[in-house]
Amino acid sequence: MRIGVFVCHCGTNIAGTVDSRGIAARAAELKDVVHTEDLLYTCSEPGQSAIQKAIIEKGLTRVVVAACSPHMHEVTFRRTVEGAGLNPFLFEMANIREHCSWIHDDYGLATEKAYEILKMSVAKVRQLEALVPNEVSVNKDVLVIGGGVAGIQTALDLADAGLKVTIVERETTIGGTMARLDKTFPTIDCSACILTPRMVDAAQHENIEIMAYCEVDKVQGYVGNFTVDIRKKAAMVDWVKCIGCEICMQKCPAKAPDVFNVGLAETKAIYIPFPQAVPKRAAIQVEHCRWFQQGKCKVCERVCPADAIDYEQQDEYVQKEFGAIVMATGLDVFPWEQHYHEYGSGNIPDVISGLQYERMLNASGPTSGHVVRPSTQGIKGQEPEEPKTVVFIQCVGSRDESVGRPYCSSVCCMYTAKQAILTKSHAGMDTEVYVFYIDIRATGKGYEEFVKRAQTEFNVKYVRGRVSKLYEDVIDGSRKVMVRGVDTLLGKQVEVAADLVVLASGITAADGAAQLAQKLNISYDEYGFFKESHPKLRPLETNTAGVFLAGACQSPKDIPTAVAQASGTAAKVLGLLSRDKLKTSPQIAIVEQNRCVSCWKCVEVCPFSAPQKQEQRDGTYLSHIIETVCQGCGICVATCPVNCITLKGFTTDAIIDQIEELLLA
Amino acid sequence: MSDRQAKIRELAGAALAEDRVDYFIGWKQGINSSEAIPAFVRNADEVDQLVWNPLSHHNLTAFLKRKMPDPPNARIGVCVKGCDSRTLVALLQEDLVDKERIYVVGVPCDGIIDRRRVEKEFADEVVSISFSGDTVTATTRCGDSKDFAKGDITFDHCNTCRYPNPFYADDMAADPVPEPEDRTPMWGTIEEFEALSPAEKDAKLADAFETCIRCFACIHACPVCVCWDQCVNRSRRPALVGQRVDTKENLMFQMVHMFHVAGRCPSCGACDRACPVEIPLYLLHRKMNKELYDMLGFEPGVSLDEKPAFQTFKLDDPFGEH
Ligand SMILES: Cc1cc2nc3c(=O)[nH]c(=O)nc-3n(C[C@H](O)[C@H](O)[C@H](O)COP(=O)(O)OP(=O)(O)OC[C@H]3O[C@@H](n4cnc5c(N)ncnc54)[C@H](O)[C@@H]3O)c2cc1C
Ligand code: SF4
Ligand code: SF4
Ligand code: SF4
Ligand code: SF4
């Protein structure tokens, strides 16, 4: 065995705290080490050439590079050694940067620790064996989960490129949040006007199948070969027959809360969320239906011209195969009512959320685009009152540690400015509009100019400060929402008697995002946003190969960013699926069956269902790991009580050798 | 008590006569009346050897573990006490026992006596133990005889037992006995151990584990220990535990066992009772159980639709907070 050791300086990143040259020289004493070298930047072209040169000239059979994290450059160096004719798995990386130089400042001690890390890697490299990747064929169909603007964009891009795409959307229509918006900043163009044509494009595209009112139930398999169980939720309406005529909805006697309009209006037990819904199909909300709750009614069945109502319908499950999966589950609005008791916990009718206000501004919304005070709505013989003073409060559920949301929701400053402008144009220029803000974040193209216009052209009064309390009071005989806050620029308490208060409630991950992430084995942060593989270098990928991200499911985003990212993701998926075969990592787990005691712990713990109970000739069962399914995570290896599972390239013996090298040598 | 014994015989007899089981596992008298041992009954006319008394300590579910049934597809009848039924549930949770192949007779239990405590009262060998109400009479070979109040010589874990009635059984040998309403576990001696300083803990463990002779009775008796002759403590693959018998290696051996049964050990105490040199193994496993209970509110073997704590996770599991 001939081992070569290369120690990196990483400029001063390592060499500033660790004597790279010194430990390289010392490594020459280690058993089997025949070549050592220190390099300024090992990952650079000269660094990599030096490794290749040494492999060839000195006949090295194993290589250790002591440098940064394997996350950073393991792949780079595996390629380097392969280029010089060595099996890429006869390479081991010692992390003396993240694990050592960056976290210590005592030169002597850090150098000593770096040498110990290096010694351990040499101990491990001796135990490594050449490994050869497997090849698997690739399914070229793509699953997009979530049919918001991001999901639609990815689907259209992929379908245009010739791939078959399935969009699974849990609501009865695609469109997502954008379908509920009135206008969009900074151009104030009509949201529906730009979105609905895209929704229709998706529905009509020969390569796109929209599965609305469906949810992903189970995901198995691996990159290139996912098997997904999809649950078609019972709509109690046969969607093949339904023509979306809305007659049932008009005649249904049972009222139900209107989720699409964020509770500002009521809909019927049988409903179609909005006129431009895609697909435009009715569904019954069973918990509000008279037939289901009281056993009487069946009006919809009687009036439906298409004979589509089916009260017996059950959830259905379908299984489909995909090569890649795109997550596009988007956002939900922060449930401020549960957290902001100082703002009335949702009990003051004239305090509404930004999304509710979007619906109110919308011409096809519950108030037909009239700005009104909800407290004055629905009173017999009285027209709803138009507010004279409107107050916007920013950062409700954003940048607020006290409600566990330290992050910026990134769109609220802008949509507040938009809504402030629209208030003036809907309710008249004489309407008093205040915006309470902490900072204004307007970093996009044309955004700062947009906010300036709100302030100057539309005379919106921006007050810098948080609002500490909202409460109702009667002033001169009329009911007001008192807004008490502080103007931090003037250093004064302020109080405004408002007719309407709009909270720029922040953005949070879609309800159920974390549970979905678990089904797909992708990481998510404490708020439920899916984690990208690397914030800078792999922002569209997840840590699970073949699963990608698009839109606000990754972090709060506005539409331009969500759409740009969605197209980027489509490019990534195309890159992956342009190949007919994929190489699978050979670093996977394997069971030594003659030692397996059939305790099934591996079967239980594997997140990918790779271990199977395999029937033996004598009728007993032993564990067998399906090579192409195993992701090499090692959980089963650590779990197997008899230690009969080995992770190739990461053997127990190698680890024991490493520990012994550290503790005994 | 004899009612239960009669009922066990009746149920076992019926199961064998109707060919619902290939054999029935219960308890029978050992070499003399001072002990009960496991019984394997294969014919309906042999059921009269089955006994039930406060010496029936063996957790018979140990014979059900995967690969143990002989032949592997045998249909087995088995008696379980309350505590043993927890083991059964633990085995079922892990699919280590085939529900279809077992016939379970549940025996409500009033507590098992610790025969060792009785033995220690005499210089001579105890050859007979008899019961009358709450009085236990032990007699030695030389004829020494002594009466004990049953409560004074029951096992510690019986005194704190919260599950005296089997909660998994096909048939019951008697009506349930009264159960405690509060099922919060009592940890007793574990809490004493936890109060010690690290050095004192070291010393206590060293003292306790010094005498192990590596007879492996503990892991053979353990009903949820599954590794058999592949046990890392014996196969030495990988060489985690040395052959040398000394305190450190002994402790390492028991630590491996503790971790293998972590989240699975239903606190039956079989290991403890099996150890010939009286190492308090139960304490180690109970300590792990306490950790699990404090952290996850989890108790092994109390619910059929749960998974062992370390083979699953929930989104709101607390980690690192303990
Ligand atoms: C009040 C408000 C005003 C805004 N105004 C503007 C603006 O003026 N300009 C602008 O650029 N941006 C604006 N935004 C931001 C904009 O809404 C988002 O950028 C955009 O909607 C993100 O698109 P998306 O597709 O990622 O997510 P979404 O639009 O949220 O779509 C996600 C889709 O996934 C579906 N879904 C969720 N979970 C699942 C699941 N488990 N299975 C299947 N389907 C699922 C949802 O039903 C939804 O259809 C505003 C946001 C808010 C809240
Ligand atoms: S290493 Fe084990 S647990 Fe991990 S994916 Fe492979 S089989 Fe599953
Ligand atoms: S954990 Fe190990 S012993 Fe148990 S079934 Fe899996 S491979 Fe076999
Ligand atoms: S470790 Fe001891 S107490 Fe726990 S199940 Fe095994 S034998 Fe019973
Ligand atoms: S039963 Fe006791 S002596 Fe035997 S191996 Fe177990 S701990 Fe050691």
Side-chain angles (χ1 to χ4, degrees), chain B:
Chain B
M1 200 175 303
S2 54
D3 291 352
R4 288 174 217 179
Q5 178 169 302
K7 189 73 182 169
I8 292 172
R9 290 178 184 179
E10 177 195 322
L11 292 168
L16 287 162
E18 292 159 23
D19 193 28
R20 283 184 280 121
V21 297
D22 294 323
Y23 53 91
F24 189 92
I25 314 176
W27 302 275
K28 67 178 177 190
Q29 181 183 313
I31 204 158
N32 54 44
S33 70
S34 78
E35 57 184 348
I37 59 172
F40 285 65
V41 184
R42 291 177 192 273
N43 292 309
D45 52 16
E46 290 168 4
V47 295
D48 284 352
Q49 60 182 299
L50 293 172
V51 302
W52 164 256
N53 63 39
L55 290 164
S56 311
H57 73 84
H58 290 97
N59 180 351
L60 304 174
T61 62
F63 296 110
L64 300 180
K65 291 189 286 193
R66 186 169 296 280
K67 296 208 165 168
M68 180 77 103
D70 185 25
N73 57 0
R75 297 162 306 156
I76 308 172
V78 66
C79 279
V80 296
K81 305 184 287 291
C83 53
D84 308 339
S85 79
R86 283 185 65 184
T87 314
L88 193 55
V89 169
L91 294 170
L92 287 168
Q93 283 175 346
E94 292 187 78
D95 199 15
L96 292 177
V97 163
D98 186 353
K99 221 177 179 171
E100 305 301 312
R101 293 191 184 281
I102 53 171
Y103 167 62
V104 184
V105 172
V107 193
C109 173
D110 310 301
I112 299 295
I113 63 168
D114 187 348
R115 191 176 175 278
R116 281 178 187 161
R117 281 201 211 161
V118 177
E119 274 176 344
K120 286 188 180 129
E121 296 294 322
F122 299 97
D124 183 16
E125 188 191 352
V126 177
V127 292
S128 139
I129 295 184
S130 62
F131 307 93
S132 147
D134 266 345
T135 309
V136 180
T137 309
T139 313
T140 68
R141 192 174 292 285
C142 308
D144 268 2
S145 182
K146 202 166 175 177
D147 285 351
F148 300 87
K150 183 165 163 254
D152 292 343
I153 50 171
T154 40
F155 278 105
D156 284 344
H157 74 269
C158 294
N159 293 331
T160 56
C161 176
R162 294 157 301 131
Y163 300 100
N165 294 301
F167 45 68
Y168 182 89
D170 295 307
D171 286 310
M172 292 288 278
D175 289 337
V177 294
E179 312 194 341
E181 255 166 49
D182 181 9
R183 289 204 160 158
T184 323
M186 287 176 269
W187 304 109
T189 42
I190 304 293
E191 275 156 359
E192 288 162 25
F193 178 76
E194 284 173 345
L196 301 178
S197 71
E200 287 167 335
K201 280 183 188 157
D202 267 358
K204 181 152 176 124
L205 287 175
D207 184 44
F209 285 92
E210 200 167 22
T211 53
C212 171
I213 52 172
R214 291 300 171 90
C215 69
F216 298 128
C218 49
I219 56 179
H220 287 268
C222 173
V224 297
C225 174
V226 288
C227 299
W228 304 103
D229 47 354
Q230 302 299 339
C231 171
V232 287
N233 293 312
R234 278 177 289 167
S235 75
R236 308 192 201 288
R237 287 191 53 188
L240 290 176
V241 183
Q243 309 231 3
R244 207 173 55 241
V245 174
D246 69 17
T247 309
K248 245 199 208 144
E249 298 287 345
N250 294 349
L251 200 50
M252 181 71 182
F253 153 42
Q254 287 301 338
M255 288 293 165
V256 172
H257 185 214
M258 180 180 76
F259 278 105
H260 281 182
V261 300
R264 308 171 56 235
C265 161
S267 302
C268 68
C271 49
D272 208 287
R273 297 195 293 273
C275 180
V277 293
E278 302 189 15
I279 294 177
L281 299 160
Y282 189 55
L283 291 188
L284 211 55
H285 300 294
R286 289 267 293 168
K287 167 71 177 151
M288 179 56 98
N289 278 343
K290 179 169 183 295
E291 292 295 316
L292 278 165
Y293 187 81
D294 290 348
M295 195 178 348
L296 305 169
F298 177 84
E299 277 198 274
V302 295
S303 155
L304 262 183
D305 27 71
E306 262 181 330
K307 283 282 167 199
F310 288 128
Q311 289 172 39
T312 182
F313 73 98
K314 297 197 199 86
L315 257 187
D316 49 2
D317 280 348
F319 281 104
E321 283 166 26
H322 194 56

Side-chain angles (χ1 to χ4, degrees), chain A residues 443-463:
Chain A
T443 55
K445 193 168 171 179
Y447 286 13
E448 177 64 19
E449 298 89 315
F450 184 74
V451 176
K452 271 274 134 59
R453 262 180 71 204
Q455 291 168 335
T456 53
E457 216 173 291
F458 290 88
N459 198 23
V460 174
K461 299 195 180 89
Y462 272 75
V463 183

Side-chain angles (χ1 to χ4, degrees), chain A residues 591 595-603 611 622-623 636 639-645:
Chain A
V591 179
R595 300 186 58 231
C596 169
V597 295
S598 318
C599 68
W600 308 140
K601 292 184 197 1
C602 52
V603 175
L622 295 174
S623 171
C636 61
T639 305
C640 175
V642 304
N643 266 291
C644 73
I645 313 182

Side-chain angles (χ1 to χ4, degrees), chain A residues 482-516:
Chain A
M482 303 306 293
V483 182
R484 185 180 296 168
V486 56
D487 183 331
T488 51
L489 294 181
L490 296 178
K492 282 202 316 205
Q493 290 280 345
V494 280
E495 192 157 66
V496 182
D499 299 314
L500 181 65
V501 176
V502 181
L503 306 178
S505 32
I507 280 176
T508 163
D511 187 35
Q515 285 74 8
L516 184 64

Side-chain angles (χ1 to χ4, degrees), chain A residues 173-184:
Chain A
T173 170
I174 57 169
T177 311
M178 192 177 164
R180 297 152 101 178
L181 305 182
D182 179 42
K183 305 281 187 314
T184 57

Side-chain angles (χ1 to χ4, degrees), chain A residues 186 188 392 394 413-424 429 431 433-435 440 446-462:
Chain A
I188 316 236
F392 291 89
Q394 293 196 172
C413 287
M414 293 307 298
Y415 83 60
T416 300
K418 167 187 76 177
Q419 292 177 343
I421 291 175
L422 291 172
T423 305
K424 294 263 183 172
M429 283 301 279
T431 314
V433 179
Y434 295 87
V435 175
I440 296 297
Y447 286 13
E448 177 64 19
E449 298 89 315
F450 184 74
V451 176
K452 271 274 134 59
R453 262 180 71 204
Q455 291 168 335
T456 53
E457 216 173 291
F458 290 88
N459 198 23
V460 174
K461 299 195 180 89
Y462 272 75

